[in-house]
């Protein structure tokens, strides 16, 4: 049996996805069932416990294939968008509804129970959340489930942003959160993933996966003359976005926020902690 990356492979010693039969060793194999995320953001954890580390977040409207549900209200499965595997609260899932037609294009928007913005909001949806719009009522989009959202905060599912760095810049000041992907908190690779997704660019979840999969390598990162806006600079366990020749934009635990930092300062600071740049990748936009 070949080795698989457990982060993106739905296989455990006791259970694995049906398509892995004969490829990954497991006591049994199941086909799984597709569900839809109904919470604004649903934590995906490494173990079926609210105390387990946050691996990533699934956003409203995402699909996930579930292979197991336990008696404690947890579901183990794989996210359709980036393939990440882990445990979600079963309460955050429902059988799939109508296919999403629109996505949230604002950093966060509110869902109201009726056409008035004076009503108490039902929930707040993050950038990238997906909804199925049934009709429009004045300046509001009405979802299949009866929620009212400001139409100006939505974009058709197949309409994309043009500049992923500009998308990432909108998160300036957002708190650092390991595994996060929203304005409530996000990490370095979550910032890259959500910004690229807004531009229609498929992106893995973790920085080492991104370093392997995204773009093409360019010359030595310490030569700033080679850097261009949008280049991704990688260290072991970290990624930063080149904002311009002078500055990085990155979610980082030093500032505990998404911050703009002079490139020279960031390189020196990370080197002082024992980290050296491993590569620079350029994405063709």
């Amino acid at each position: 049996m070949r080795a698989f990356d457990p982060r993106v492979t739905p296989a455990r010693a006791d259970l694995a996805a049906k398509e892995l039969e004969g490829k990954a060793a497991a006591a049994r194999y199941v086909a799984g069932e597709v569900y839809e995320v109904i919470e604004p953001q649903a934590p995906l954890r490494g173990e079926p416990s609210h105390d387990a580390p946050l691996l990533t977040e699934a956003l409203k409207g995402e699909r996930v294939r579930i292979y197991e549900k336990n008696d404690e209200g947890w579901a183990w499965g794989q996210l359709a968008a980036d393939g990440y595997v882990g445990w979600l609260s079963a309460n955050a899932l429902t059988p799939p509804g109508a296919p999403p037609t629109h996505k949230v294009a604002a950093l966060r928007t509110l869902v109201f129970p009726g056409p008035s913005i004076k009503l108490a909001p039902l929930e707040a949806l993050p950038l990238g959340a997906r909804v199925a719009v049934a009709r429009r009522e004045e300046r509001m989009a009405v979802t299949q489930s009866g929620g009212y959202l400001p139409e100006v905060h939505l974009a058709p599912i197949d309409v994309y942003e043009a500049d992923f760095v500009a998308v990432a810049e909108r998160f300036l000041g957002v708190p650092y959160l390991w595994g996060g992907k929203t304005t409530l908190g996000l990490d370095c690779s979550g910032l890259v993933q959500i910004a690229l997704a807004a531009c229609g660019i498929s992106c893995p979840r973790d920085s080492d996966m991104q370093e392997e999969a995204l773009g093409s390598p360019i010359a030595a990162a310490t030569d700033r003359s080679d850097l261009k806006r949008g280049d991704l600079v990688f260290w072991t366990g970290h990624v930063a976005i080149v904002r311009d020749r002078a500055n990085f934009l990155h979610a980082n635990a030093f500032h505990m926020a998404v911050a703009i930092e002079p490139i020279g300062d960031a390189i020196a600071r990370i080197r002082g902690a024992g980290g050296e740049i491993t590569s620079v990748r350029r994405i063709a936009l």
Side-chain angles (χ1 to χ4, degrees), residues 100-208:
T101 60
H102 289 72
K103 59 192 174 185
V104 175
L107 282 182
R108 194 166 285 273
T109 192
L110 299 175
V111 181
F112 299 93
S116 172
I117 60 173
K118 296 181 180 180
L119 297 171
L122 298 171
E123 59 185 356
L125 302 184
L127 177 73
R130 299 183 166 210
V131 296
V133 173
R135 68 182 193 279
R136 288 162 178 79
E137 191 172 316
E138 295 184 352
R139 298 179 62 196
M140 305 292 276
V142 186
T143 67
Q144 293 281 356
S145 58
Y148 288 71
L149 294 86
E151 190 173 11
V152 70
H153 287 172
L154 300 180
I157 207 76
D158 57 353
V159 172
Y160 300 106
E161 300 276 357
D163 182 352
F164 87 91
V165 183
V167 175
E169 287 172 333
R170 293 160 61 188
F171 285 87
L172 278 171
V174 167
Y176 182 86
L177 174 65
W178 182 277
K181 287 177 57 175
T182 78
T183 54
L184 297 180
L186 77 178
D187 59 17
C188 64
S189 54
L191 178 65
V192 170
Q193 186 187 51
I194 203 73
L196 286 175
C199 297
I201 300 172
S202 179
C203 177
R205 179 58 179 89
D206 293 344
S207 61
D208 63 319

Side-chain angles (χ1 to χ4, degrees), residues 14 28 70 133 166 178 230 232 256 271 285:
D14 63 322
R28 62 191 180 97
N70 68 19
V133 173
W178 182 277
L232 300 178
M256 284 306 296
R271 179 177 290 131
L285 301 175

Side-chain angles (χ1 to χ4, degrees), residues 162-170 218 224-232 240-249 260 263 281-285:
D163 182 352
F164 87 91
V165 183
V167 175
E169 287 172 333
R170 293 160 61 188
I218 65 167
R224 292 188 210 167
S225 65
D226 288 337
L227 296 177
K228 291 177 56 177
R229 179 179 172 88
D231 286 346
L232 300 178
I241 303 167
V242 175
R243 185 172 185 252
D244 51 49
R245 286 189 179 179
N247 297 289
F248 284 148
L249 172 71
I260 295 171
I263 290 175
R281 311 286 295 185
R282 180 163 296 164
I283 299 173
L285 301 175

Side-chain angles (χ1 to χ4, degrees), residues 8 56-57 62 79-85 181 193 203-205 209:
V8 290
T56 187
E57 293 177 308
E62 281 193 53
L79 303 181
D82 61 16
Y84 224 98
V85 174
K181 287 177 57 175
Q193 186 187 51
C203 177
R205 179 58 179 89
M209 300 173 178

